[in-house]
Amino acid sequence: MSISPSSMRVAIVGSGPAGFYAAESLQKAAPGIAIDLIDRLPTPFGLVRGGVAPDHPKIKSVTRVFDRIATQPGFRYLGHVRVGEDVTVDELRARYHALILCYGAETDRMLGIPGESLAGSHAATEFVAWYNGHPDYAGATFDLTQRDVAVVGIGNVAMDVARILAKPPQALAATDLADHALQALASSQVATIHLIARRGPVQAACTTPELRELGELQGVDVVVDPRDLELDAASEAELAAMEDRNPAKNLDVLREWAARPLTGAARRVVLHFNASPVALHGSTRVEGMTIVRNRLESDGRGGVRAVATDDTRELPVGLVFRSVGYRGKALPGVPFDDRAGVVPNVKGHVVAAAGSQAVVPGLYVAGWIKRGPQGIIGTNKLCATDTVTQLLADVAAGDIPALRDDLPSIDALLAERGVRVTSWSDWQTLDKAEQARGAAAGRPRVKLTNVAEMLEIVAASR
């Protein structure tokens, strides 16, 4: 028997941009539709809260849109619920007409080089989560007594890491940077940050505004070797064929920096293009890195590939952050494409395996776990809308499975298991508490970083 969209119950796992945009798309198609947005933390917003740099508050203003979505009829926030632990995917599928997974790409890709497991070698996302106050990483430590640091990669996350390390502490004091990070960075001894890019400036993945910010930091020299900006034939051809003008703008910024005289500033950011790390050295912790010079050649598809040469050099780094891409992780009860690091899907409808056309009834994906770690926050809106469009087409075709009526509700199931579920109202309580702490310190907010403390504040307010 077919069901109308307005009479459906839909669960969305993950309260980042993809999750909220999926909810919004459903609300527009069927006002009042019952939506439960589930997250493992009491605090919503995913990478907008835990990934966007503290000194980029305008990007975080998108949460005002999410606030509006959360106040629509039929919407509920179920925070502090771990899917796969507190409740299984199969148990959710049995209680909702459709389940949309939007839990993102939570793990980092490895470099795959000797010495990568030494102390002092970290994923960039660990550092980002730490300075943003994510509860999973609030207790992490990073040896900021090291004077030389390497950041491997040249995407926007790498730019954020380099900028936070180089920025004067007083410039961070007015942000919502986590308190523990603010204290640690205030005594940082980092003097030189090496940004290592496998290919050339044309292939740099960062956006021009993010790149330009490095050159605007007070007390920081940016070092670019002019020889790295001499383009090979393959890069010239790639640049000429690009519709995206971001690479050309990046090149303009880099050429300006290369022509700047150095000021002898206390901190330096050194860009190494056409270079790859091949080993980390040290007895128990990182004491150095070997990088190899790459040459670029056409990949035969309009792009270029990096090919290692025999030219190597040593960098005396004691701290390394890898920022070479994210990948999703498997969730029990859900097909997973381990090679691509995503849930296999066709137009957002989960399929049994990569390359298969056999759909899993009522199970969908949106965001990075659907398409891989690509795009910006706004990219998730179109991605989520496309998934919901497919879901609604399945509804119209009568392909949404019927629900059993003899099961306890999700609320009863979680209560029976002792899960302390938090609501949207509870998040608003936490939000006010953070802002009040921030006001006392002259900051926009002081983030709560301990889940137990969050639950205590919620319990006291009920």
mmCIF file of all heavy atoms in Angstrom, residues 241-264:
data_model
loop_
_atom_site.group_PDB
_atom_site.id
_atom_site.type_symbol
_atom_site.label_atom_id
_atom_site.label_comp_id
_atom_site.label_asym_id
_atom_site.label_seq_id
_atom_site.Cartn_x
_atom_site.Cartn_y
_atom_site.Cartn_z
ATOM 1 N N ALA A 241 42.797 25.378 -19.781
ATOM 2 C CA ALA A 241 41.532 24.686 -20.053
ATOM 3 C C ALA A 241 40.522 24.809 -18.915
ATOM 4 O O ALA A 241 39.361 24.442 -19.072
ATOM 5 C CB ALA A 241 41.815 23.210 -20.318
ATOM 6 N N MET A 242 40.958 25.352 -17.786
ATOM 7 C CA MET A 242 40.079 25.409 -16.612
ATOM 8 C C MET A 242 39.015 26.492 -16.744
ATOM 9 O O MET A 242 39.309 27.624 -17.127
ATOM 10 C CB MET A 242 40.903 25.694 -15.350
ATOM 11 C CG MET A 242 41.698 24.525 -14.842
ATOM 12 S SD MET A 242 42.657 25.019 -13.370
ATOM 13 C CE MET A 242 43.315 23.436 -12.856
ATOM 14 N N GLU A 243 37.775 26.156 -16.407
ATOM 15 C CA GLU A 243 36.722 27.162 -16.288
ATOM 16 C C GLU A 243 36.794 27.844 -14.930
ATOM 17 O O GLU A 243 36.451 29.020 -14.799
ATOM 18 C CB GLU A 243 35.352 26.508 -16.473
ATOM 19 C CG GLU A 243 35.110 25.969 -17.879
ATOM 20 C CD GLU A 243 33.714 25.406 -18.034
ATOM 21 O OE1 GLU A 243 32.898 25.560 -17.092
ATOM 22 O OE2 GLU A 243 33.435 24.820 -19.089
ATOM 23 N N ASP A 244 37.228 27.095 -13.921
ATOM 24 C CA ASP A 244 37.385 27.642 -12.568
ATOM 25 C C ASP A 244 38.578 28.593 -12.555
ATOM 26 O O ASP A 244 39.704 28.201 -12.888
ATOM 27 C CB ASP A 244 37.604 26.493 -11.593
ATOM 28 C CG ASP A 244 37.739 26.951 -10.142
ATOM 29 O OD1 ASP A 244 37.548 28.152 -9.883
ATOM 30 O OD2 ASP A 244 38.047 26.100 -9.285
ATOM 31 N N ARG A 245 38.351 29.837 -12.142
ATOM 32 C CA ARG A 245 39.430 30.823 -12.124
ATOM 33 C C ARG A 245 40.182 30.847 -10.799
ATOM 34 O O ARG A 245 41.144 31.602 -10.633
ATOM 35 C CB ARG A 245 38.886 32.233 -12.421
ATOM 36 C CG ARG A 245 38.176 32.356 -13.756
ATOM 37 C CD ARG A 245 38.938 31.669 -14.880
ATOM 38 N NE ARG A 245 40.285 32.222 -15.085
ATOM 39 C CZ ARG A 245 41.257 31.586 -15.716
ATOM 40 N NH1 ARG A 245 41.080 30.367 -16.169
ATOM 41 N NH2 ARG A 245 42.436 32.160 -15.869
ATOM 42 N N ASN A 246 39.775 30.005 -9.854
ATOM 43 C CA ASN A 246 40.449 29.990 -8.556
ATOM 44 C C ASN A 246 41.949 29.687 -8.684
ATOM 45 O O ASN A 246 42.764 30.368 -8.055
ATOM 46 C CB ASN A 246 39.776 28.980 -7.630
ATOM 47 C CG ASN A 246 40.273 29.064 -6.197
ATOM 48 O OD1 ASN A 246 39.823 29.894 -5.430
ATOM 49 N ND2 ASN A 246 41.198 28.186 -5.823
ATOM 50 N N PRO A 247 42.351 28.697 -9.483
ATOM 51 C CA PRO A 247 43.794 28.430 -9.600
ATOM 52 C C PRO A 247 44.586 29.624 -10.131
ATOM 53 O O PRO A 247 45.709 29.890 -9.659
ATOM 54 C CB PRO A 247 43.853 27.240 -10.563
ATOM 55 C CG PRO A 247 42.545 26.547 -10.376
ATOM 56 C CD PRO A 247 41.561 27.655 -10.176
ATOM 57 N N ALA A 248 44.029 30.349 -11.110
ATOM 58 C CA ALA A 248 44.727 31.527 -11.642
ATOM 59 C C ALA A 248 44.856 32.601 -10.566
ATOM 60 O O ALA A 248 45.897 33.269 -10.453
ATOM 61 C CB ALA A 248 43.989 32.071 -12.855
ATOM 62 N N LYS A 249 43.820 32.769 -9.758
ATOM 63 C CA LYS A 249 43.872 33.747 -8.675
ATOM 64 C C LYS A 249 44.886 33.329 -7.614
ATOM 65 O O LYS A 249 45.617 34.166 -7.070
ATOM 66 C CB LYS A 249 42.484 33.911 -8.049
ATOM 67 C CG LYS A 249 41.457 34.544 -8.978
ATOM 68 C CD LYS A 249 40.082 34.604 -8.313
ATOM 69 C CE LYS A 249 39.036 35.215 -9.229
ATOM 70 N NZ LYS A 249 37.693 35.233 -8.619
ATOM 71 N N ASN A 250 44.928 32.027 -7.322
ATOM 72 C CA ASN A 250 45.934 31.534 -6.374
ATOM 73 C C ASN A 250 47.342 31.845 -6.875
ATOM 74 O O ASN A 250 48.222 32.257 -6.112
ATOM 75 C CB ASN A 250 45.792 30.020 -6.185
ATOM 76 C CG ASN A 250 44.639 29.635 -5.271
ATOM 77 O OD1 ASN A 250 44.029 30.495 -4.637
ATOM 78 N ND2 ASN A 250 44.341 28.352 -5.205
ATOM 79 N N LEU A 251 47.535 31.632 -8.162
ATOM 80 C CA LEU A 251 48.846 31.871 -8.750
ATOM 81 C C LEU A 251 49.238 33.344 -8.634
ATOM 82 O O LEU A 251 50.404 33.671 -8.342
ATOM 83 C CB LEU A 251 48.829 31.427 -10.209
ATOM 84 C CG LEU A 251 50.170 31.156 -10.894
ATOM 85 C CD1 LEU A 251 51.011 30.161 -10.107
ATOM 86 C CD2 LEU A 251 49.931 30.660 -12.313
ATOM 87 N N ASP A 252 48.269 34.222 -8.813
ATOM 88 C CA ASP A 252 48.549 35.664 -8.657
ATOM 89 C C ASP A 252 48.995 35.982 -7.243
ATOM 90 O O ASP A 252 49.942 36.756 -7.025
ATOM 91 C CB ASP A 252 47.302 36.485 -9.010
ATOM 92 C CG ASP A 252 46.983 36.483 -10.494
ATOM 93 O OD1 ASP A 252 47.897 36.165 -11.286
ATOM 94 O OD2 ASP A 252 45.833 36.794 -10.853
ATOM 95 N N VAL A 253 48.311 35.406 -6.253
ATOM 96 C CA VAL A 253 48.663 35.635 -4.846
ATOM 97 C C VAL A 253 50.072 35.128 -4.566
ATOM 98 O O VAL A 253 50.894 35.801 -3.936
ATOM 99 C CB VAL A 253 47.644 34.956 -3.911
ATOM 100 C CG1 VAL A 253 48.121 35.002 -2.460
ATOM 101 C CG2 VAL A 253 46.266 35.615 -4.028
ATOM 102 N N LEU A 254 50.373 33.928 -5.044
ATOM 103 C CA LEU A 254 51.685 33.327 -4.792
ATOM 104 C C LEU A 254 52.803 34.128 -5.455
ATOM 105 O O LEU A 254 53.895 34.289 -4.880
ATOM 106 C CB LEU A 254 51.689 31.881 -5.300
ATOM 107 C CG LEU A 254 50.791 30.914 -4.513
ATOM 108 C CD1 LEU A 254 50.588 29.622 -5.295
ATOM 109 C CD2 LEU A 254 51.385 30.617 -3.141
ATOM 110 N N ARG A 255 52.560 34.636 -6.647
ATOM 111 C CA ARG A 255 53.576 35.444 -7.327
ATOM 112 C C ARG A 255 53.827 36.747 -6.571
ATOM 113 O O ARG A 255 54.969 37.221 -6.497
ATOM 114 C CB ARG A 255 53.141 35.703 -8.770
ATOM 115 C CG ARG A 255 53.325 34.476 -9.669
ATOM 116 C CD ARG A 255 52.703 34.644 -11.034
ATOM 117 N NE ARG A 255 53.043 33.511 -11.898
ATOM 118 C CZ ARG A 255 52.358 33.161 -12.977
ATOM 119 N NH1 ARG A 255 51.279 33.850 -13.348
ATOM 120 N NH2 ARG A 255 52.743 32.125 -13.703
ATOM 121 N N GLU A 256 52.762 37.305 -6.006
ATOM 122 C CA GLU A 256 52.933 38.516 -5.193
ATOM 123 C C GLU A 256 53.797 38.213 -3.979
ATOM 124 O O GLU A 256 54.707 38.976 -3.632
ATOM 125 C CB GLU A 256 51.567 39.040 -4.749
ATOM 126 C CG GLU A 256 51.640 40.262 -3.850
ATOM 127 C CD GLU A 256 50.344 40.543 -3.110
ATOM 128 O OE1 GLU A 256 49.293 40.078 -3.585
ATOM 129 O OE2 GLU A 256 50.399 41.194 -2.061
ATOM 130 N N TRP A 257 53.540 37.097 -3.317
ATOM 131 C CA TRP A 257 54.323 36.729 -2.142
ATOM 132 C C TRP A 257 55.786 36.469 -2.497
ATOM 133 O O TRP A 257 56.690 36.831 -1.756
ATOM 134 C CB TRP A 257 53.734 35.484 -1.483
ATOM 135 C CG TRP A 257 52.416 35.706 -0.817
ATOM 136 C CD1 TRP A 257 51.810 36.893 -0.549
ATOM 137 C CD2 TRP A 257 51.540 34.689 -0.323
ATOM 138 N NE1 TRP A 257 50.606 36.685 0.079
ATOM 139 C CE2 TRP A 257 50.410 35.344 0.235
ATOM 140 C CE3 TRP A 257 51.578 33.300 -0.305
ATOM 141 C CZ2 TRP A 257 49.351 34.642 0.795
ATOM 142 C CZ3 TRP A 257 50.524 32.600 0.259
ATOM 143 C CH2 TRP A 257 49.419 33.266 0.809
ATOM 144 N N ALA A 258 56.001 35.807 -3.634
ATOM 145 C CA ALA A 258 57.364 35.471 -4.038
ATOM 146 C C ALA A 258 58.203 36.724 -4.261
ATOM 147 O O ALA A 258 59.431 36.699 -4.085
ATOM 148 C CB ALA A 258 57.348 34.617 -5.292
ATOM 149 N N ALA A 259 57.538 37.827 -4.623
ATOM 150 C CA ALA A 259 58.242 39.085 -4.886
ATOM 151 C C ALA A 259 58.416 39.927 -3.629
ATOM 152 O O ALA A 259 59.148 40.922 -3.637
ATOM 153 C CB ALA A 259 57.487 39.887 -5.951
ATOM 154 N N ARG A 260 57.766 39.551 -2.546
ATOM 155 C CA ARG A 260 57.866 40.333 -1.315
ATOM 156 C C ARG A 260 59.224 40.143 -0.645
ATOM 157 O O ARG A 260 59.706 39.012 -0.534
ATOM 158 C CB ARG A 260 56.799 39.875 -0.304
ATOM 159 C CG ARG A 260 55.411 40.377 -0.497
ATOM 160 C CD ARG A 260 54.589 39.902 0.705
ATOM 161 N NE ARG A 260 53.171 40.140 0.542
ATOM 162 C CZ ARG A 260 52.252 39.732 1.408
ATOM 163 N NH1 ARG A 260 52.628 39.070 2.498
ATOM 164 N NH2 ARG A 260 50.974 39.981 1.203
ATOM 165 N N PRO A 261 59.799 41.190 -0.124
ATOM 166 C CA PRO A 261 61.003 41.011 0.702
ATOM 167 C C PRO A 261 60.616 40.449 2.069
ATOM 168 O O PRO A 261 59.545 40.774 2.599
ATOM 169 C CB PRO A 261 61.561 42.427 0.823
ATOM 170 C CG PRO A 261 60.378 43.321 0.637
ATOM 171 C CD PRO A 261 59.463 42.616 -0.321
ATOM 172 N N LEU A 262 61.443 39.593 2.616
ATOM 173 C CA LEU A 262 61.173 39.039 3.944
ATOM 174 C C LEU A 262 61.455 40.099 4.999
ATOM 175 O O LEU A 262 62.354 40.937 4.845
ATOM 176 C CB LEU A 262 62.036 37.804 4.180
ATOM 177 C CG LEU A 262 61.803 36.635 3.211
ATOM 178 C CD1 LEU A 262 62.710 35.464 3.573
ATOM 179 C CD2 LEU A 262 60.342 36.206 3.218
ATOM 180 N N THR A 263 60.686 40.070 6.073
ATOM 181 C CA THR A 263 60.797 41.106 7.106
ATOM 182 C C THR A 263 61.568 40.629 8.325
ATOM 183 O O THR A 263 61.823 41.409 9.242
ATOM 184 C CB THR A 263 59.390 41.540 7.563
ATOM 185 O OG1 THR A 263 58.748 40.437 8.231
ATOM 186 C CG2 THR A 263 58.550 42.002 6.378
ATOM 187 N N GLY A 264 61.879 39.332 8.368
ATOM 188 C CA GLY A 264 62.520 38.790 9.567
ATOM 189 C C GLY A 264 61.534 38.556 10.685
ATOM 190 O O GLY A 264 61.907 38.581 11.868
#
